[in-house]
Amino acid sequence: MNKQSIRAFSSGLITATTVLGSIYFITPSSEQSMNKPDDHVMSETEELKAEIKLLKDQVKEQSLIIQEYEFSESVNNEDNTITNEHEPQSEPIRIYHLQVDTGMTSSEISSILEEAKIITSGKELQQYFMDQQLSRQIQVGKFEVNSNMTIENIVSLLTGNTIFE
């Protein structure tokens, strides 16, 4: 470094110190500005606090409403459960198209209808065929049966006989 560059550097330092010193003495101290916030900032803070309080109150009201609704729903469900226990639940009527081929036995037909959930017990149907001695009178063809039909109705349909008891 030569003389000229050192002089230029020192004059720059003197200029920078002068500028910073004048700014330091002209502007108010930062402690005063920090302790005394602007009125604008103060009013915005108060507005936000009031809005937060209002939102909290609304949330409390909504949660109370939800709790009341859930309680009334649970009471209604309990009432419905109590009334439904006394009422038998009706299942949908199932319809099945039964194809009876030559040589099919009453036990085969019984198991087919039980699997199709037309009857609850295939053994009962098979036993009815045997008790009435109708196992050999089963007709060949296509029959529409449904879950509302009694065993007697099914046997009557499949044999073509009217059964009297």
Side-chain angles (χ1 to χ4, degrees):
M1 281 176 83
N2 60 22
K3 267 185 178 185
Q4 229 175 2
S5 60
I6 292 175
R7 283 184 187 159
F9 181 72
S10 63
S11 67
L13 285 176
I14 291 173
T15 307
T17 305
T18 306
V19 171
L20 287 175
S22 62
I23 291 175
Y24 176 76
F25 288 111
I26 293 174
T27 59
S29 69
S30 62
E31 290 177 10
Q32 290 175 352
S33 64
M34 290 183 109
N35 291 338
K36 188 177 177 186
D38 291 345
D39 290 334
H40 178 263
V41 173
M42 187 81 132
S43 65
E44 280 185 19
T45 305
E46 293 300 320
E47 287 176 16
L48 289 174
K49 286 181 181 178
E51 190 173 342
I52 288 172
K53 184 179 180 194
L54 179 67
L55 289 172
K56 284 181 180 179
D57 291 341
Q58 287 177 347
V59 166
K60 285 179 184 176
E61 289 175 21
Q62 292 295 325
S63 66
L64 287 175
I65 291 171
I66 289 171
Q67 287 175 351
E68 289 173 3
Y69 176 76
E70 288 173 347
F71 178 74
S72 67
E73 283 294 311
S74 68
V75 168
N76 287 342
N77 286 341
E78 287 174 7
D79 290 344
N80 288 341
T81 303
I82 291 169
T83 57
N84 286 342
E85 287 174 358
H86 299 294
E87 297 173 10
Q89 297 218 354
S90 61
E91 291 189 25
I93 298 173
R94 298 179 188 268
I95 298 173
Y96 186 76
H97 295 279
L98 176 66
Q99 177 67 42
V100 178
D101 296 324
T102 306
M104 283 184 80
T105 63
S106 60
S107 63
E108 291 173 325
I109 293 171
S110 298
S111 63
I112 290 171
L113 293 178
E114 187 176 13
E115 287 176 17
K117 298 189 190 265
I118 300 298
I119 58 174
T120 56
S121 173
K123 290 181 181 181
E124 286 181 29
L125 180 61
Q126 186 177 357
Q127 188 63 43
Y128 189 82
F129 270 113
M130 299 221 183
D131 290 345
Q132 299 297 319
Q133 298 176 352
L134 296 170
S135 296
R136 296 195 176 262
Q137 296 181 14
I138 297 173
Q139 303 291 313
V140 174
K142 190 168 190 171
F143 302 95
E144 183 177 296
V145 293
N146 64 56
S147 58
N148 270 354
M149 295 175 76
T150 63
I151 290 177
E152 293 83 12
N153 291 343
I154 294 172
V155 170
S156 176
L157 178 68
L158 295 177
T159 59
N161 294 336
T162 305
I163 300 173
F164 299 103
E165 292 220 14

